[in-house]
Amino acid sequence: MATPLVQIEHDREIAERLAAERIRLRKLAGLEGHTHFHKPIERAFTAEERNKVTILFGGFTWKHEDLIRAVFQGCGYRCEKLPVPDVPAFQLGKEYGNNGQCNPTYFTVGNLVQYLQFLEKEGVPRKDILDNYVFFTAGSCGPCRFGMYEAEYRFALKNAGFDGFRVLLFKDSDGIKAASGEPGLKFTVDFGFGMLNAMHMGDVFNDLIYQIRPFEVNKGETDRIFRETVDDLCDDLKNRKSFEIEQSAPDWAKPKFKSNKILRNTFNVFGKMHEHLWGEDYLDALAAARAKMDTIEVDRTKVKPVVKITGEFWAQLTEGDGNFNMFAFLEREGAQVLVEPIATWIAYLMYQAKAHAKAKYPVTRPYRSPKWYQLKQHMANQMSLRKKLMGIAVGEKMWNYLYHRTAENLGGITHHLVPQPELAEMAHPFYNQFARGGEGHLEVGKNVYYTVHKLCHMVLALKPFGCMPSSQSDGVQSAVINKFKDMIFLPVETSGEGEVNAHSRVQMALGEAKVKAKLEFEETLRSTGKSLDDIKSYVAEHPELKRPFYHVPHVEGVTGTAAQFVLHVSDRMNRSHRSWRRSRSHGVTVPSAA
Ligand code: SF4
């Protein structure tokens, strides 16, 4: 007999029945206890431990890491960088980590375990490793597996026998601050601005080294000079005296600053800020670095295809097994690599924060539906959005300004940050800018941007095995390639194995890019009406053209460095010739000028 339908009158009754059913089902599944995941409470890193605890970190290029380490050391911390993750580290990550992680997780998690095992082999007792080392990393709430890194580190460390090893997060003040007393890692003004400078300098050096090395005349010179330059800057960051108003103020004002804490702190913040950004010490150190790098001799007439690297954050940054040593391979194969600065990622985060604030405005405004005459409420709604947007816009402006200023001070040939609105707009027909995770719409946007502006001959996307956001954008790229027919785009899935296979795929695509670069160069040279020997003889007579920081103006629509260079040299030759003819017609002799 069918059960008669009972009419439920009240919402309360529905809620009660739901709760009762939930209890019944949980009991059935054996989940009666407290099952919600709670982050384990981390043992604090306290101020008293600063002198004996070493902060470990990693995951960037050697240029970024050396500079970051110098800032830590300059602020009084013991700090060491982890080695570049390699295949044995990946295998350890697989052995001790969860199944089904993305490639960077295995590499980075395994790398930490490998380093701790190395310390143990060197004779450091396990207890000392747990007490005297902490790992510092970035944290996130997802939506991709980045949100799980912290938990993965802990899980693998526990499985490898390092249970209780401290993992501190940038975003998580609980991990950094002690529950009581002074935090072990203090975000001071010196630390903050020091890190900002280190990140920007790291980005700029990374860009420069890949721009200069392919054209160096003396093999190995670029690596040697960059090593020395970065070391000098690290010494400067480590040993620079911190600005203190009590020491810098005139004698008559010193007692005032001593007795008034608020006054002292305010002047110290602005003084330190000025010192880090505009201080003579900093600018002199950059000028010395620039002068040193400018001694490298380059020959820009070498024809090389420009390969733009895109892909997932870590895969496009690491210079090791994590991306099949792709950059070194490309350079060996005769390419010029165009790397991506970390600053683009930060600019992307700020741009997205602005876009999200606008999109969410209808639900986040303080007054949902004010009447037309409730002007105060309309105003409050508007102000709530404007305040947020203005705050982010100021951050964006500062970030861009400081990045480009560092680039300018270090030679002025570094590529500028790609405008975020244009990237989003170009990606939008294929990839919604609000689809979050990983690089979001950036991979698609960069592919289109660098192709339509003719800034590269080929785009190589390094996409980690098991990366959810990269798989999404990969699916979309086939539509992008269909639309832009002359695009050479190659996605390569990076993993702990399959290097030979990946290299051979890159070699094939690079073959096409080389033909493209060669044809472009020949056409450009023909358009100048000069031979390569003419150009080379002129360069031989003008040594400034062999300096890496000699500025070759960018000609729209021309991609290759060699093609840009011959156009410029040809212009200079024409100008010299015209001025020589003018001087002859006026009966005077002037030396040929640039
Ligand atoms: S973007 Fe991809 S590779 Fe990077 S953490 Fe997220 S899932 Fe992993």
Side-chain angles (χ1 to χ4, degrees):
M1 206 171 78
T3 323
L5 277 176
V6 184
Q7 196 153 356
I8 300 175
E9 300 274 339
H10 304 289
D11 285 355
R12 189 176 42 82
E13 205 181 332
I14 298 175
E16 280 169 6
R17 286 187 180 208
L18 265 174
E21 185 59 10
R22 185 171 291 125
I23 291 170
R24 189 185 72 81
L25 289 172
R26 286 176 70 86
K27 220 182 229 169
L28 215 64
L31 296 172
E32 291 124 297
H34 192 62
T35 52
H36 189 74
F37 173 78
H38 284 275
K39 189 183 138 186
I41 296 167
E42 191 69 271
R43 201 154 44 101
F45 168 36
T46 61
E48 299 80 58
E49 290 179 294
R50 253 181 234 151
N51 294 335
K52 65 170 187 134
V53 168
T54 303
I55 297 169
L56 302 175
F57 76 101
F60 304 105
T61 73
W62 68 264
K63 293 130 266 178
H64 292 91
E65 288 172 355
D66 283 13
L67 292 159
I68 291 172
R69 180 178 55 185
V71 174
F72 268 116
Q73 291 171 339
C75 291
Y77 298 100
R78 294 165 69 109
C79 178
E80 219 24 86
K81 58 177 199 168
L82 293 180
V84 181
D86 54 10
V87 170
F90 165 82
Q91 281 154 350
L92 281 178
K94 283 207 127 177
E95 186 181 339
Y96 294 118
N98 269 310
N99 287 336
Q101 296 303 307
C102 55
N103 194 44
T105 319
Y106 288 134
F107 268 99
T108 50
V109 168
N111 200 34
L112 177 60
V113 172
Q114 192 182 43
Y115 186 74
L116 300 190
Q117 288 181 340
F118 157 78
L119 288 177
E120 210 171 22
K121 270 192 214 127
E122 289 290 293
V124 185
R126 191 165 283 204
K127 184 174 176 322
D128 288 0
I129 295 177
L130 298 184
D131 289 344
N132 297 343
Y133 290 86
V134 295
F135 181 62
F136 194 43
T137 185
S140 150
C141 62
C144 74
R145 290 192 184 92
F146 191 30
M148 294 301 296
Y149 269 36
E150 182 200 358
E152 268 306 304
Y153 277 117
R154 291 182 209 281
F155 183 69
L157 287 165
K158 187 175 174 187
N159 290 344
F162 295 99
D163 196 9
F165 186 86
R166 286 171 284 180
V167 177
L168 310 183
L169 294 190
F170 286 123
K171 70 158 196 136
D172 191 345
S173 54
D174 291 345
I176 291 160
K177 280 186 188 163
S180 62
E182 214 192 347
L185 188 58
K186 268 176 101 176
F187 283 94
T188 59
V189 180
D190 281 326
F191 184 76
F193 278 106
M195 280 296 170
L196 182 110
N197 282 341
M199 289 306 272
H200 285 170
M201 283 193 284
D203 273 349
V204 172
F205 279 124
N206 201 35
D207 184 292
L208 288 176
I209 202 166
Y210 285 104
Q211 274 199 67
I212 297 173
R213 190 168 45 208
F215 301 98
E216 68 183 5
V217 171
N218 307 309
K219 201 166 165 24
E221 194 180 11
T222 313
D223 285 339
R224 182 177 55 78
I225 297 269
F226 269 72
R227 183 69 271 170
E228 288 170 15
T229 311
V230 173
D231 283 352
D232 289 349
L233 271 171
C234 287
D235 284 345
D236 180 77
L237 288 172
K238 250 187 280 180
N239 304 322
R240 191 183 301 167
K241 260 182 69 192
S242 164
F243 175 88
E244 296 301 335
I245 190 69
E246 280 176 86
Q247 282 146 29
S248 309
D251 284 344
W252 59 264
K254 279 180 184 164
K256 282 196 179 64
F257 288 115
K258 205 168 191 152
S259 59
N260 189 330
K261 195 176 167 198
I262 297 177
L263 194 69
R264 184 172 66 233
N265 287 348
T266 312
F267 272 78
N268 261 343
V269 168
F270 286 109
K272 282 171 189 285
M273 194 170 140
H274 180 272
E275 196 65 18
H276 279 281
L277 302 178
W278 294 278
E280 240 172 63
D281 274 1
Y282 176 59
L283 296 180
D284 286 352
L286 293 187
R290 174 190 170 129
K292 196 165 207 165
M293 288 185 284
D294 208 26
T295 58
I296 301 169
E297 189 180 340
V298 291
D299 173 10
R300 290 195 185 88
T301 58
K302 295 181 196 172
V303 183
K304 289 176 178 290
V306 180
V307 179
K308 172 66 196 163
I309 303 294
T310 66
E312 188 265 350
F313 179 85
W314 184 78
Q316 64 178 328
L317 191 67
T318 187
E319 294 174 303
D321 292 346
N323 61 12
F324 302 132
N325 293 285
M326 196 53 86
F327 306 144
F329 173 75
L330 283 166
E331 284 192 353
R332 275 202 308 277
E333 288 296 310
Q336 179 189 346
V337 179
L338 192 51
V339 286
E340 192 61 59
I342 296 173
T344 309
W345 169 251
I346 308 291
Y348 161 75
L349 292 182
M350 287 192 271
Y351 179 73
Q352 286 295 90
K354 237 167 46 181
H356 278 275
K358 280 188 217 160
K360 284 184 192 161
Y361 171 69
V363 284
T364 55
R365 61 195 164 161
Y367 299 99
R368 208 44 82 73
S369 21
K371 299 272 183 286
W372 66 266
Y373 51 83
Q374 291 175 307
L375 297 182
K376 241 175 144 179
Q377 297 187 355
H378 281 290
M379 184 75 100
N381 277 348
Q382 278 301 315
M383 284 310 290
S384 72
L385 177 66
R386 301 278 151 224
K387 250 170 43 197
K388 197 176 255 175
L389 295 183
M390 248 171 63
I392 306 172
V394 171
E396 273 182 322
K397 281 257 177 298
M398 284 284 287
W399 183 257
N400 280 296
Y401 166 73
L402 293 174
Y403 179 81
H404 292 120
R405 187 172 155 274
T406 309
E408 213 42 56
N409 281 312
L410 282 174
I413 61 164
T414 310
H415 297 96
H416 280 208
L417 293 180
V418 179
Q420 290 293 329
E422 201 176 340
L423 279 185
E425 201 180 303
M426 286 180 158
H428 198 71
F430 309 97
Y431 201 100
N432 192 303
Q433 107 176 77
F434 293 116
R436 287 166 60 229
E439 292 273 308
H441 65 267
L442 285 186
E443 285 188 40
V444 175
K446 284 182 206 166
N447 195 6
V448 180
Y449 180 89
Y450 280 88
T451 303
V452 299
H453 289 298
K454 292 199 183 310
L455 294 171
C456 70
H457 296 104
M458 164 182 161
V459 177
L460 175 63
L462 298 169
K463 316 163 89 68
F465 164 78
C467 172
M468 176 262 290
S470 269
S471 324
Q472 272 173 214
S473 66
D474 221 11
V476 167
Q477 298 284 16
S478 58
V480 179
I481 299 166
N482 268 333
K483 176 138 191 222
F484 301 95
K485 297 287 182 206
D486 60 343
M487 178 181 272
I488 304 179
F489 171 73
L490 179 70
V492 167
E493 193 178 71
T494 59
S495 161
E497 54 249 355
E499 180 166 313
V500 176
N501 198 8
H503 284 179
S504 108
R505 287 186 59 216
V506 172
Q507 234 165 5
M508 277 195 277
L510 197 59
E512 268 183 71
K514 278 182 182 169
V515 173
K516 209 170 163 184
K518 197 163 168 249
L519 284 176
E520 180 197 42
F521 179 76
E522 284 168 357
E523 246 171 58
T524 312
L525 186 61
R526 212 173 305 124
S527 75
T528 65
K530 298 179 180 68
S531 72
L532 187 56
D533 284 343
D534 294 337
I535 302 278
K536 283 188 170 175
S537 318
Y538 186 84
V539 173
E541 286 163 19
H542 298 82
E544 73 277 12
L545 290 164
K546 296 185 211 161
R547 303 274 68 98
F549 293 144
Y550 176 83
H551 184 68
V552 178
H554 180 80
V555 178
E556 207 58 44
V558 180
T559 309
T561 303
Q564 295 271 3
F565 186 64
V566 295
L567 274 182
H568 175 64
V569 175
S570 166
D571 275 356
R572 269 188 60 158
M573 289 167 79
N574 294 343
R575 280 204 303 273
S576 301
H577 188 65
R578 275 200 300 273
S579 84
W580 176 78
R581 281 195 13 203
R582 258 201 314 275
S583 65
R584 267 180 58 118
S585 68
H586 288 95
V588 283
T589 312
V590 292
S592 65

